[in-house]
Amino acid sequence: HNGQQAKKAALEERAKRLRETFKFTTPLIVHHWIDQYLEERLRYNFLCLHGPSQTHKSEFVRHTLGPKAFWHRDAINWAGYDDDVHESIVFDDIKDVFKYILENRSLFQASGMVTVQTSKTNCYAREINVCAKKIVVITNSPPSGDPWIDKNMVELSVTKPM
């Protein structure tokens, strides 16, 4: 167990060192998206960054949101989410993410308490607080064109490295 922890710590230190080389300029649309959280609202728009691989979308989001972001990478797993600690929620490279968004609209509006991990038996269901949490979707695919998604999303198309 200690060996795994040491490997994980070494990998995290390596990633941190490599990330320090990135210099980002925040697009105006992202500033506007962040500004919506300066006022109390019933619902908020989520941010969607999409574009080809290796355009530094994830690193930009990590830089923008800082260490208090809760990350779903490749799969959705709410283990470890704590609304008292996490200020934002990131869905990074999630398969069928736009389908998931449409099935969890309240979650993506960051409007209050939502139930996640639901199933027929709901044995793993969990109620979480997402009120005013910054929610970001990072994907290689453009949005689905669904009217609800288009209305509730701030879109940033990334065509070259950020």
Side-chain angles (χ1 to χ4, degrees), residues 19-113:
R19 284 187 186 112
E20 289 173 354
T21 65
F22 289 108
K23 303 292 181 224
F24 294 107
T25 301
T26 304
L28 189 58
I29 194 166
V30 175
H31 285 291
H32 291 304
W33 172 74
I34 291 169
D35 286 348
Q36 74 178 323
Y37 294 93
L38 297 175
E39 64 182 69
E40 231 176 5
R41 297 180 175 191
L42 288 175
R43 56 173 71 172
Y44 299 85
N45 291 333
F46 66 93
L47 177 64
C48 177
L49 286 84
H50 64 88
S53 181
Q54 298 188 20
T55 51
H56 311 300
K57 298 178 300 291
S58 298
E59 296 310 321
F60 170 76
V61 170
R62 191 175 311 281
H63 166 81
T64 302
L65 297 179
K68 292 188 176 182
F70 182 80
W71 285 74
H72 298 280
R73 278 193 81 107
D74 301 323
I76 295 169
N77 182 353
W78 288 100
Y81 175 75
D82 182 340
D83 66 277
D84 289 328
V85 173
H86 298 106
E87 297 173 352
S88 53
I89 303 166
V90 180
F91 296 85
D92 189 2
D93 202 21
I94 303 295
K95 182 180 179 189
D96 298 323
V97 71
F98 297 111
K99 179 179 181 227
Y100 182 78
I101 292 168
L102 290 171
E103 291 170 351
N104 296 276
R105 294 174 193 213
S106 295
L107 165 63
F108 284 86
Q109 292 173 332
S111 57
M113 300 296 290

